[in-house]
Amino acid sequence: VSTGLGQALACAYLDRGDRVYGVSRRQPSDLVRRQRFAFASVDLSELDAVVPRLESLLRGVDALDLVVLNAAVLPPVGDMRETPLATLKHAMDVNTWANKILLDFVFDRVARVDQVIAISSGAAVSSTRGWNGYSISKAALNALVRLYAAERPQTHFSAFAPGLVDTGMQAYLRSMPADARYPGLEGLKRARGTPDMPAPDAAALRLVVEFERLRAEASGGFHKTRAR
Ligand SMILES: NC(=O)c1ccc[n+]([C@@H]2O[C@H](COP(=O)([O-])OP(=O)(O)OC[C@H]3O[C@@H](n4cnc5c(N)ncnc54)[C@H](OP(=O)(O)O)[C@@H]3O)[C@@H](O)[C@H]2O)c1
C-alpha cells in the first residue's frame, strides 16, 4: 500500500467507508492518517518474518470481504541468460511465495474470507522477451490462485491483470534505454498520458467495480481488465 496501485486501491476502499489493512515496507504517510486504516511494515521477501507482523495487524479480525495480493517486484528487464538465479528467486519470493504465506495466515486466523484477488499481469501468459522472472512469477501466481480455488470453495479467487497503470513500475520501464531485443518498451513509453495507461487513482476506481464483477465468474480464473 505504500505507492502505485496498492496505495490507490487502499484509498478507494477507504473513500467508500471500508476498513483497510495494508502492508508494504515503506509506510504510506497519507494513508496512516486516515481513519479505518491499519498498517504493518512487512518485507515480503523475508518469508520467515511475515507471519509475526501479520499477527499484530489482524488480531481480532474475524471477517474479510476482500484480500488483494498486490505487492510485486519487476526484476531488471533482460534476457533469461543474463539474469542471475538470485534475481529470479527474489521475484518468486515476493510475487508468488509471499502470497502463499499471506493466504495461509489469513485462512488460518480469519473465519470468513469472501474474495481473493491476486494482481497478475498479461506477462503471465505472454512471456514477452525481457520480462524474465516477472513472467515466471506471475504465471506461477495464476497457478497458485487456481490451486487454492479448488481447495477452498467458500472463498472466490481470481488472478487479475490490471492493464497498464502509470506507477513506479512503469517509470522504471520508461527509464530503460531503447533496446531492439525488447520492442515492447517503446510502446510503454508511448502509452504514458493516454487512456491506455491511467494514473493509479483512476485505475483503482475502475478496478473496484471490476473486482465486484469477477465474483460472477468461476473461481480460480485469470482475467484481464475490460478497460483496454
Ligand atoms: N503498473 C503496471 O502497469 C502494471 C501492469 C500489470 C500488472 N501490474 C501489477 O500491479 C501490482 C502493483 O504494481 P505497481 O505498478 O503499483 O508497482 P509499484 O508502484 O512498484 O508498487 C509496488 C508495491 O509493492 C510493494 N512491495 C514491493 N516489494 C515489496 C516487499 N519486498 N515487501 C512488501 N511490499 C513490497 C511496494 O512497497 P514497498 O516498496 O514500500 O515495500 C509497493 O507498494 C503488481 O502486482 C504489478 O505486477 C502493474
Side-chain angles (χ1 to χ4, degrees):
V1 292
S2 61
T3 187
L5 188 57
Q7 182 192 35
L9 282 169
C11 201
Y13 283 111
L14 287 168
D15 288 347
R16 277 186 1 164
D18 293 320
R19 184 171 295 279
V20 175
Y21 304 88
V23 302
S24 46
R25 289 166 300 183
R26 290 167 291 169
Q27 178 171 288
S29 51
D30 52 339
L31 292 177
V32 291
R33 286 195 287 270
R34 303 271 310 253
Q35 287 189 338
R36 302 184 312 281
F37 181 72
F39 173 76
S41 177
V42 179
D43 184 344
L44 294 170
S45 71
E46 306 255 330
L47 296 177
D48 294 335
V50 170
V51 163
R53 308 311 302 267
L54 296 177
E55 298 268 15
S56 56
L57 180 69
L58 292 180
R59 188 164 293 129
V61 175
D62 60 5
L64 290 169
D65 301 322
L66 174 64
V67 174
V68 182
L69 304 170
N70 168 78
V73 289
L74 178 68
V77 171
D79 280 359
M80 283 296 292
R81 183 68 195 270
E82 302 162 347
T83 305
L85 189 57
T87 302
L88 301 175
K89 284 182 166 177
H90 180 255
M92 287 299 297
D93 282 351
V94 176
N95 300 3
T96 310
W97 301 134
N99 291 321
K100 170 181 162 45
I101 292 173
L102 290 166
L103 289 177
D104 291 347
F105 176 83
V106 163
F107 295 146
D108 195 36
R109 305 299 161 84
V110 180
R112 176 175 67 76
V113 181
D114 290 344
Q115 186 178 12
V116 171
I117 307 264
I119 304 295
S120 184
S121 166
V125 290
S126 68
S127 297
T128 305
R129 181 174 179 179
W131 264 245
N132 61 69
Y134 185 76
S135 285
I136 296 170
S137 66
K138 294 295 190 181
L141 180 66
N142 288 6
L144 180 133
V145 163
R146 189 171 286 281
L147 289 161
Y148 272 101
E151 294 172 22
R152 198 179 155 91
Q154 65 271 45
T155 300
H156 188 279
F157 292 82
S158 312
F160 180 80
L164 304 179
V165 185
D166 195 1
T167 66
M169 207 173 261
Q170 288 295 337
Y172 159 70
L173 290 167
R174 273 195 298 278
S175 75
M176 294 280 300
D179 187 324
R181 295 177 298 173
Y182 316 124
L185 286 174
E186 295 311 301
L188 294 177
K189 287 176 188 170
R190 284 194 300 273
R192 191 179 193 206
T194 75
D196 288 341
M197 191 186 288
D201 292 357
L205 289 177
R206 172 169 54 67
L207 294 191
V208 166
V209 177
E210 291 200 67
F211 290 173
E212 289 276 346
R213 286 204 197 111
L214 286 176
R215 299 193 61 164
E217 306 286 339
S219 182
F222 171 58
H223 305 272
K224 295 183 179 178
T225 180
R226 291 183 182 177
R228 299 186 64 225

